[in-house]
Amino acid sequence: MPDAVVAEGLKKRFGETQALDGVHLSVPEGSIRGLLGPNGSGKTTTVRVLATLLRPDSGTAKIAGYDVMKDSDRVRAAIGLSGQFSATDGNLTGRENLRMVGRLYQLGRAEAKRRADELLERLELEYAADRPARTYSGGMNRRLDLAAAIIGRAPVLFLDEPTTGLDPVSRRQIWELVRSLVDEGTTLLLTTQYLEEADQLADEITVIDHGRVIAEGTANELKSRVGGNALELRLCDPATHDEALRILTTIAPDARAILDDRDVTGTIEVPLGEDTELIAAAIHSLHEHQVAIEDVNVRRPSLDDVFLTLTGRKAEPDATPDEQEEEAIR
Amino acid sequence: MSVAAPAISFSPGAKLRRAFADSGVMAWRYLMHYIRQPDLLFFSTVQPIMFVLLFNYVFGGAIGQSLVPGVDYADFLIPGILIQTVAFASSTPAVSMAKDKQEGIADRFRSLPMARSAVLSGRVLADTVYMAYTVLLLILIGFVIGFRFQGSFGEAALGFLLAVLFGVALLWISILIGLSVKNVETAQLAGFIWLFPLTFASSAFVPVETLPEGLRQFAEWNPVTIFVDAVRGLWLGPVDYQDIWLSIAWAVALTVIFAPLGVWKYRRA
């Protein structure tokens, strides 16, 4: 399948800060790519370059086959953009906002009207369609902004932190919508600092840090980099702990005790790798030696673990949006 | 499965049609901003009324003394306040441009397959309508306090057009300011403050002859004076053709200098 988004060696400098330091990216048509990274890692700058809003200092990028610098008009006809801040007009109603953007996507008057009505219904905004957008809640505004981004049926969609600052219910609504959009064949590049979001939505994830791609792959591939799954066994009686550990190390040499908050051991972790047979074997041998098990849990590494392994830092979502840093540097 | 990209033609003819259609959409948007903010419209309507009443009844007695005998201060004042009002009205785009940028909607427009010129041309179109409304309103207030046209209908109409023309020429400066500042608050001040010396150090409220040396020369060259004198001539007589041509030249010069600067700033902002 051809790539809908291709970026090669994008570099961009703001004053002292190298915002992009050679970003490479290729997103196959019809897939969802998560662009994951902490604040100031270059996610938003990347999207701004791809959406023709910012000229890179060097490097090239193509959207749907068109060069973002040489053929920016055609690129704009092929993209939808929903940024970190809801770019809706508070003085216009929801319906008027969508019709206006539809017209500017060069839809005919009737088609813009029809698409606006259709999206208002689909995004559950119909009840507020004729109210000025300034009266909308944060979640409603994000939905309206998303509707504006897709009204032109652009084949490539950029969503820059679509759920930052939203409550869990609104966040889920946006996720649902994003999933249904991609079913229709849209290519989506989604930036996020929420690891869960990338995990939930993206086919593949590109991890970016200090303006550079530091890892790429499916969520599972990234997770297996940090060692794959582990079996956690909690014992009923802490006194049986030493015996349990002795039994388990005979079948899995890497088994180790996990200390809890009060430095009491009661749980043993058995790294599994790809060997799922080990689950049954471990439980079976403990059972044979009459060591009672209270709880069994197969733990998959989270993307937090991935980030920690890759960068040595925790990927803590920060309240300050990416762009403010960029703004301050200018 | 792939979704077909919307078919948009990029021939020069299609681009030109798009420039007109998109300007229309943007002009509609900016006009809606006036209509949807009735409080803003109310206060921007009250402001010229207040100026007319204050100047006529507070300063009218004192300044009236220094006028040519037989000229009524209300007649003298209306063309002056008119030019001041369109100058003040021209500051709206500064705030609007800064606000669009701050709220991120400017980025949306930049990412759309619309004519890039349409944001600015739509703004100017909408404000031309607003200028015309302001001028009509002011003439109406003038009638209430005793202002009357002395010349023909044609002369009255030409004066009307000159006033609108001045306001529209200043819009480009305002747009440039709005695109250059960092936030709405700065735009509010920066878009407005330079208009005070420009409109007061002129023939708008007092005869230029009464000003001290230095300031008088500034006032004589001030485009505000030239527009005010041109409109005064047309409405009260005698018609001064030199002032009319000079004011048209000023409007052209302001536009030729500041419109390209505004467009340039918009393209690279």
Side-chain angles (χ1 to χ4, degrees):
Chain A
M1 212 172 253
D3 286 336
V5 178
V6 183
E8 275 164 16
L10 292 181
K11 291 198 177 194
K12 182 75 192 180
R13 194 178 186 85
F14 297 112
E16 290 296 294
T17 309
Q18 190 72 43
L20 299 183
D21 196 11
V23 168
H24 290 267
L25 200 64
S26 54
V27 185
E29 200 178 297
S31 69
I32 304 186
R33 174 65 56 91
L35 199 55
L36 181 68
N39 269 316
S41 57
K43 303 185 302 286
T44 296
T45 308
T46 304
V47 167
R48 289 178 63 83
V49 167
L50 296 177
T52 77
L53 297 176
L54 197 65
R55 286 182 82 84
D57 298 333
S58 63
T60 57
K62 283 185 174 178
I63 308 293
Y66 298 116
D67 189 292
V68 292
M69 280 179 287
K70 293 185 199 119
D71 229 343
S72 50
D73 278 350
R74 282 173 213 272
V75 170
R76 288 186 202 112
I79 61 169
L81 170 69
S82 179
Q84 269 178 48
F85 306 100
S86 297
T88 55
D89 188 331
N91 286 313
L92 303 179
T93 67
R95 201 187 300 279
E96 286 166 346
N97 263 291
L98 292 185
R99 284 186 190 174
M100 174 179 73
V101 176
R103 296 280 289 142
L104 296 175
Y105 264 113
Q106 310 305 326
L107 303 179
R109 207 178 289 271
E111 172 71 358
K113 181 174 180 295
R114 203 185 56 71
R115 280 286 286 164
D117 292 348
E118 181 189 318
L119 287 172
L120 286 165
E121 194 190 328
R122 193 159 151 198
L123 274 81
E124 292 167 41
L125 285 170
E126 226 171 10
Y127 71 101
D130 296 309
R131 261 167 41 195
R134 61 166 171 256
T135 65
Y136 285 17
S137 70
M140 290 164 77
N141 246 314
R142 292 313 294 250
R143 258 141 64 209
L144 184 63
D145 192 59
L146 198 56
I150 63 181
I151 194 165
R153 296 185 198 279
V156 178
L157 193 56
F158 299 118
L159 301 183
D160 191 13
E161 306 202 6
T163 65
T164 297
L166 289 188
D167 59 89
V169 176
S170 307
R171 179 169 299 166
R172 274 180 201 284
Q173 265 183 324
I174 299 272
W175 288 356
E176 289 289 306
L177 193 82
V178 167
R179 284 199 194 94
S180 72
L181 275 176
V182 175
D183 287 344
E184 294 169 17
T186 314
T187 307
L188 172 62
L189 184 68
L190 166 95
T191 81
T192 183
Q193 24 179 332
Y194 298 117
L195 304 161
E196 190 196 355
E197 191 160 273
D199 205 0
Q200 284 269 339
L201 290 176
D203 298 318
E204 284 192 79
I205 296 168
T206 298
V207 186
I208 185 169
D209 194 34
H210 298 302
R212 232 180 268 182
V213 173
I214 56 169
E216 205 160 44
T218 63
N220 283 333
E221 281 167 8
L222 292 179
K223 285 171 183 176
S224 65
R225 275 196 172 194
V226 286
N229 299 341
L231 177 70
E232 284 178 354
L233 296 159
R234 194 159 76 233
L235 309 174
C236 290
D237 182 3
T240 61
H241 178 265
D242 288 348
E243 192 195 350
L245 194 58
R246 188 184 53 77
I247 298 162
L248 288 172
T249 42
T250 61
I251 56 168
D254 292 340
R256 61 190 183 93
I258 300 176
L259 300 176
D260 70 8
D261 304 345
R262 287 162 297 164
D263 282 352
V264 181
T265 58
T267 305
I268 296 172
E269 187 185 79
V270 182
L272 291 172
E274 297 302 308
D275 186 7
T276 46
E277 293 286 312
L278 212 49
I279 300 172
I283 295 170
H284 183 72
S285 59
L286 287 183
H287 182 68
E288 264 189 344
H289 290 83
Q290 273 132 34
V291 177
I293 304 167
E294 189 183 84
D295 193 18
V296 177
N297 181 28
V298 176
R299 193 174 64 84
R300 293 164 205 288
S302 71
L303 280 168
D304 283 299
D305 299 329
V306 173
F307 211 85
L308 193 62
T309 310
L310 289 172
T311 66
R313 289 182 287 121
K314 276 201 161 182
E316 269 174 287
D318 194 314
T320 18
D322 222 7
E323 204 166 8
Q324 284 185 3
E325 277 177 44
E326 187 182 296
E327 202 65 46
I329 295 159
R330 272 183 199 162
Chain B
M1 186 194 86
S2 154
V3 179
I8 297 180
S9 166
F10 290 94
S11 70
K15 279 186 164 180
L16 190 66
R17 269 196 301 281
R18 210 143 55 225
F20 279 105
D22 294 347
S23 300
V25 172
M26 294 309 288
W28 167 83
R29 168 180 184 241
Y30 291 123
L31 280 175
M32 290 307 274
H33 284 192
Y34 282 115
I35 296 165
R36 287 289 161 74
Q37 299 178 87
D39 44 346
L40 185 73
L41 196 60
F42 174 77
F43 285 109
S44 53
T45 302
V46 163
Q47 184 190 300
I49 298 179
M50 189 185 72
F51 272 120
V52 170
L53 297 181
L54 282 178
F55 271 93
N56 191 48
Y57 295 111
V58 177
F59 298 125
I63 303 174
Q65 308 285 321
S66 56
L67 293 179
V68 183
V71 175
D72 188 36
Y73 189 63
D75 285 336
F76 179 83
L77 180 66
I78 289 301
I81 283 212
L82 180 75
I83 295 300
Q84 185 209 32
T85 305
V86 292
F88 281 8
S90 79
S91 70
T92 323
V95 177
S96 144
M97 289 289 145
K99 192 161 176 272
D100 281 358
K101 192 164 87 181
Q102 194 168 317
E103 290 177 353
I105 197 163
D107 276 349
R108 154 133 300 143
F109 292 135
R110 279 166 197 285
S111 74
L112 289 174
M114 63 184 283
R116 286 219 141 178
S117 57
V119 171
L120 302 190
S121 55
R123 184 71 248 184
V124 170
L125 264 175
D127 280 303
T128 306
V129 174
Y130 179 68
M131 293 287 174
Y133 158 79
T134 307
V135 173
L136 278 178
L137 179 80
L138 218 99
I139 293 172
L140 223 72
I141 305 162
F143 272 116
V144 173
I145 63 159
F147 167 81
R148 295 292 178 268
F149 292 114
Q150 312 290 322
S152 68
F153 176 78
E155 284 161 357
L158 186 58
F160 173 91
L161 288 179
L162 278 184
V164 174
L165 185 69
F166 183 56
V168 172
L170 291 182
L171 284 176
W172 290 107
I173 300 179
S174 172
I175 286 173
L176 186 63
I177 292 172
L179 291 172
S180 305
V181 297
K182 280 208 176 280
N183 55 47
V184 175
E185 290 75 16
T186 315
Q188 214 135 28
L189 264 175
F192 212 54
I193 206 154
W194 61 282
L195 293 167
F196 278 91
L198 196 72
T199 53
F200 278 90
S202 76
S203 66
F205 306 105
V206 295
V208 185
E209 300 77 52
T210 63
L211 296 174
E213 270 313 284
L215 194 59
R216 185 169 63 81
Q217 280 76 6
F218 172 81
E220 278 168 355
W221 282 95
N222 186 343
V224 172
T225 299
I226 292 162
F227 272 91
V228 170
D229 290 352
V231 174
R232 253 183 211 139
L234 283 164
W235 286 359
L236 307 173
V239 178
D240 186 331
Y241 286 99
Q242 197 194 332
D243 279 337
I244 295 173
W245 287 119
L246 264 178
S247 35
I248 294 172
W250 261 108
V252 171
L254 287 172
T255 310
V256 165
I257 294 168
F258 290 101
L261 279 176
V263 172
W264 168 78
K265 190 78 192 165
Y266 181 75
R267 283 186 184 278
R268 70 181 287 281

